Amino acid sequence: MNLAWERGFQEMLSLTNVLKTFPQPGGGTLTVLDIASLQLGAGEQVALVGRSGGGKTTLLHAIAGITRIDSGSIVVGGVDLTKLSEAGCDRYRAACIGYVFQTFNLLPGFTALENVRLGMTFASGRHDLPRAKMLLDRVGLGDRLDYRPKQLSVGQQQRVAIARALAGRPKLLLADEPTANVDPANQQAIVDLIRQTCLDEGITLLLVTHTREVSDQFSRVEHLDQINRIFRHLEVQTSS
Amino acid sequence: MNLIQIAWRNIRQRGLASTLTMISLALGIGLTVLVLAIYGIIEDAFRRNSSVGYNLIVGAKGSPLQLTLNTVYYLSRPIETIPYDVYLEYLSADERATQAVTYSGEGIVDTSRDGKFAPYMVGGFAIPVALGDYFGPYRVVATTPDFFDLLKHGPSVDQDFTFAQGRNFLLDDATHGAFEAVVGSRVASDMQIKIGDTIDLSHGDPDGHGHGVAFVVVGILNPTGTPNDRAAFVNLEGFYLMEGHARVIEPDADSSAPSGTTAEDDDQVTGEGDLEVEKIALSYAPLPIARRDLTAILLRSDPIFAAKMQKTINKQLRTQAAAPVGEISNLLGVIVDPLRTALLTITVVTCLVAAVGILVSIYNSMSDRKRDIAVMRALGARRDTVLGIILVESLLIALGGAILGWVLAHLALKLAGGFIEERTGVQVGFFTLSPAEGWTIPLVLALATLAGFLPALVGYRTNVAENLNP
């Protein structure tokens, strides 16, 4: 695996021997992640592809500090998440991570502007209203500030979610299949928006997608099937 | 956005449930505040009316509370009477002599000495009162002009009785003789009385027979907020001249024998139909002292003397002295204070029910809100931030309900202010506060905070990863 500095980046994300299992209802555990190594450089844009149920969302949750891993280490911006407390993870997430969900996860009782400001509030505690408006303007919703999510189209909702994820000036943007629920006409616009904004603001991007057209636009594409060792075991078992 | 704004958005998101919770809370709080305010008004009215410028009431032996209620508040049935010579014991030798001459008491009243209690009365006064008649539903108080000249009223007992129209009655008016009357403000408005009208008193109770003697109304009192607004006042001398108001003296009766003969007894002795109602001439002869009875004597004296005098009077066989302030305090202690305890208990229970209502409302919404909470957590909200948001929600609902309830209650009080003032003399405005309601709202807020903790803990413990998944 190439190290970030070898590719001309300072290291932003580093995963080493990450193991994540989930207890099973009938007893025993299910291993979802078993990653030996993965690094992202600061400002780098990486597409992560893989089969459905392959652990992509779990990996993003682990990087965001939402899900705790069983062993190994995840270091983001020099901070080892495995050594952080629950509150420490909250602070880390607020300070470093922007998250774009596949299903947008906008809060229905809040307007577009309030959803963006909410991300800002939790991230920095600041109330930078001009930035919130600027971000919404940038995603093409400058005239929809007071619209509630249900008054917006699916594509517009995803744009609000992107603006919200960027509101807190994150160091790392995690985008979990951001185009999955968007019609083909909007897919490219969404991807362009995310990539360009990250580029403009110097944000590292890890974008999960199962769409070839999207992944092909990235200079670096990581295949979870290859870096997650559980699939190798499965392949070995299948071939034997 | 701050926590309050976020909490407010959540409340608006659940608009119907939040509004219903707030309204039910408002009704509970409003009812509680209203009940506490009414209790405060009742207590205030009782306490302020118990002090109307005199510190002792002397009457026939019996219940001091009944004597107070009967004399101060004109409540309950008239009590037994006392002989007029009891009143003379509070006068100086000169005053006794004047009374003896004026009311045919020579040879009966010892004018060579001061009254037994006269030394205690330095700087004070004694006002005789006879009760028993009615004007319509209102009590008639037969007394002397001193009643309005010497007594005071008001919260600080420093306000003179003033007349909206007319003047005080005179002991012996050139035109009306002893038959002048003054009516309280409420009596005047209810019975549509004006100056110059004549009133006929009924004997013994509101439905008793009329005396057929006309008292001329010469004065209408301004409202005082005391029971005097609901009474008619007549000249004691005229009162004595009416049928059935003179004590019957049996030929062999000892003048010093206990006097227990009431007006009703008098009728029974003489027979209802035996007495002819006669129009009493202006050139009347006052009723002799020996045939006079009183219901009570209002005494004002130095408080130190009053306490000693009360003890001395209460050692006597025929009479008692009651301190109205003390009696009313006792009454409040026996009846009204337990009522207050009951009301405060109701307040606490209402607040508890309100808090439980908030708890149920927010708790029921938690299952629908786990995804929202997970999203907030994913955006960087700390656990204690989520806890804070839900607690603030609970507080906002409680605050909204409490303020709405308070406003509703005080609006009702303001609307009823005129009626309350007319009936009790207690002025009630929108911002009139009862002492207990001062902690009703803080109590509700404290309980709401407690009630918010359970759903807040649910929010606090929400698993982010589980609830983020579609």
Side-chain angles (χ1 to χ4, degrees), chain B residues 288-309:
Chain B
I289 285 176
R291 300 194 67 195
R292 290 173 173 233
D293 281 327
L294 291 171
T295 310
I297 305 163
L298 313 179
L299 300 180
R300 173 79 191 176
S301 69
D302 187 282
I304 298 171
F305 291 153
K308 192 170 181 185
M309 184 161 56

Side-chain angles (χ1 to χ4, degrees), chain B residues 60-135:
Chain B
K61 211 73 170 174
S63 159
L65 179 60
Q66 190 186 5
L67 177 62
T68 301
L69 292 175
N70 192 47
T71 310
V72 180
Y73 298 98
Y74 309 132
L75 298 173
S76 83
R77 301 283 295 174
I79 54 175
E80 292 295 306
T81 56
I82 54 175
Y84 193 81
D85 54 14
V86 171
Y87 165 64
L88 299 179
E89 294 301 335
Y90 298 90
L91 305 182
S92 65
D94 290 346
E95 291 168 326
R96 286 166 63 87
T98 305
Q99 290 271 328
V101 171
T102 310
Y103 305 126
S104 312
E106 294 101 328
I108 300 172
V109 179
D110 181 357
T111 57
S112 65
R113 63 169 178 88
D114 286 335
K116 185 177 173 185
F117 300 104
Y120 296 117
M121 301 299 295
V122 178
F125 55 75
I127 300 174
V129 168
L131 300 166
D133 280 5
Y134 288 83
F135 172 52

Side-chain angles (χ1 to χ4, degrees), chain A residues 57 61 66-67 86 90-91 93-94 101 103 105-110 114 117-118 121-122 127 148 164, chain B residues 1-2 6 9-10 12-13 371-372 375-383 385 389 464-465 468-470:
Chain A
T57 298
H61 282 180
I66 292 170
T67 298
E86 177 90 19
D90 290 339
R91 281 194 293 273
R93 194 159 53 246
F101 302 96
T103 50
N105 280 337
L106 296 178
L107 297 179
F110 294 71
E114 287 166 346
R117 291 179 67 196
L118 203 60
T121 299
F122 296 139
H127 311 291
R148 291 182 190 282
R164 182 179 66 182
Chain B
M1 298 184 80
N2 56 38
I6 296 169
R9 283 285 174 274
N10 286 336
R12 283 181 53 181
Q13 173 68 12
R371 190 186 68 93
D372 290 357
V375 170
M376 284 195 252
R377 293 287 315 281
L379 293 176
R382 296 198 301 269
R383 280 184 157 186
T385 305
I389 288 170
V464 181
L468 273 179
N469 291 333

Side-chain angles (χ1 to χ4, degrees), chain B residues 170-181:
Chain B
L170 299 175
L171 263 184
D172 190 5
D173 180 69
T175 309
H176 307 123
F179 297 97
E180 289 188 335

